[in-house]
Amino acid sequence: MSDLHGAVTRGEIVALFQPQIDVHTRQIVAVEALARWNHPELGSVPPDIFIPIAEEHDLINEIGDFMIDEGCRLAAEWQALGRSIDVAVNVSAAQLLDLEFLDRVQANLQRHSLSPECIIVEVTESLPIADVPEVNERLIELRALGLGISVDDFGTGHSSLDRLLVLPATELKIDQSLIRGLHTAPAVLRDAVRTAHDFGLRVVAEGVETEEHFERCIELGCDRAQGFLFSRPTTEAEIAQLLTVS
Ligand code: C2E
Ligand code: MG
Ligand code: MG
Ligand code: MG
């Protein structure tokens, strides 16, 4: 996998975007940027494969910066068109531990004259984020800059909601396994959504594939929903198309 070196420079890393809709209006209100590696021989390599390799081989900052840049560029285009659409970008703990990360994010926002509120940093619950002081500090700084902070994959890690609420989060993303009803009793999940709302967090449901899943989101009281029911992760051009018809 040494081919991952220089993949950004060679233009092999691309960002796809997946819409999130407002549960009440069904309008697109945000997109999540999702990385793909277009390998010359292997074709499209999914992030679950290459992100861990990038983390191991010290390539995550290069890839992460590219994704943040893509997210900011797209958000700035929409901002210029007067459309308020949030862009969420996944960020690894290794990126948050980099002391210059914050400066680069700030420079990026400035380059695009972007209001920071429309950029959401997603950190996954499966990492021990609440236990690493440096990570928490960086999240506090990002929040202070005005960015949104989303706790991704809620329900997959070992953290209770109480532990996560110490983070400076603005959003909770419920993992797709919970939306499919694979784990956790609905009552427990409903309580989690209520508690998140009590703390002023927005709640997003992931992996909504069917109308039945969508019904569950509504019952749970989720604010936004994301999943194949609305759109798969897709190109910027297709997102623009979806936005003109919505
Ligand atoms: P994630 O952040 O939880 O992203 C959601 C994943 O669920 C995406 O997989 C998306 O394609 C998939 N998904 C969305 N809706 C549905 C649905 O209705 N059904 C099903 N079965 N799946 C759905 P993807 O794109 O393969 O990304 C996997 C993970 O890789 C992401 O999970 C995220 O943790 C990580 N990742 C992706 N891009 C980046 C990146 O730029 N940086 C970092 N650090 N991690 C990334
Ligand atoms: Mg995510
Ligand atoms: Mg997730
Ligand atoms: Mg994930």
Side-chain angles (χ1 to χ4, degrees):
M1 279 294 165
S2 61
D3 327 5
L4 196 51
H5 284 275
V8 171
T9 318
R10 292 192 301 273
E12 292 169 9
I13 304 293
V14 295
L16 294 184
F17 301 93
Q18 187 180 29
Q20 289 176 10
I21 59 126
D22 179 298
V23 165
H24 305 291
T25 64
R26 277 204 180 215
Q27 299 283 307
I28 297 172
V29 286
V31 297
E32 177 178 10
L34 293 158
R36 297 289 181 267
W37 178 18
N38 287 332
H39 188 280
E41 280 126 44
L42 302 173
S44 183
V45 181
D48 284 336
I49 303 285
F50 75 85
I51 293 288
I53 298 171
E55 286 169 343
E56 231 172 90
H57 294 269
D58 213 12
L59 298 167
I60 193 64
N61 278 305
E62 193 184 339
I63 293 171
D65 285 351
F66 170 77
M67 292 300 290
I68 290 173
D69 199 38
E70 284 289 279
C72 289
R73 187 182 54 71
L74 190 56
E77 273 178 35
W78 287 329
Q79 187 172 278
L81 293 171
R83 293 205 68 152
S84 114
I85 293 162
D86 298 334
V87 179
V89 181
N90 294 284
V91 168
S92 300
Q95 287 173 268
L96 295 171
L97 290 172
D98 181 344
L99 293 173
E100 280 146 27
F101 179 70
L102 199 76
D103 289 343
R104 292 200 300 272
V105 169
Q106 203 161 12
N108 225 320
L109 293 171
Q110 274 163 4
R111 181 160 70 248
H112 297 284
S113 314
L114 194 58
S115 50
E117 300 75 42
C118 59
I119 301 295
I120 299 167
V121 168
E122 291 193 8
V123 286
T124 176
E125 203 243 89
S126 56
L127 295 169
I129 35 177
D131 301 322
V132 183
E134 292 84 356
V135 168
N136 201 16
E137 273 165 36
R138 198 55 38 77
L139 292 177
I140 291 169
E141 289 164 353
L142 286 165
R143 181 72 202 109
L145 273 185
L147 286 90
I149 309 289
S150 182
V151 176
D152 203 352
D153 306 329
F154 173 69
T156 58
H158 305 290
S159 322
S160 66
L161 187 54
D162 291 356
R163 297 261 322 110
L164 294 172
L165 288 171
V166 305
L167 295 168
T170 54
E171 183 181 278
L172 190 69
K173 273 188 109 170
I174 301 176
D175 190 67
Q176 49 191 56
S177 59
L178 273 60
I179 296 303
R180 312 273 170 75
L182 299 183
H183 315 289
T184 308
V188 176
L189 205 49
R190 204 170 298 124
D191 283 349
V193 173
R194 197 171 304 132
T195 307
H197 279 157
D198 286 345
F199 277 80
L201 302 187
R202 179 171 55 222
V203 180
V204 182
E206 285 194 291
V208 177
E209 286 187 351
T210 64
E211 286 292 343
E212 196 191 333
H213 297 155
F214 188 49
E215 282 300 316
R216 189 193 295 269
C217 301
I218 296 168
E219 279 166 35
L220 287 171
C222 297
D223 305 295
R224 293 180 176 180
Q226 175 180 349
F228 297 170
L229 176 63
F230 312 106
S231 169
R232 288 185 176 255
T234 186
T235 60
E236 194 179 326
E238 266 187 58
I239 293 285
Q241 194 67 34
L242 287 173
L243 282 172
T244 53
V245 295
S246 80

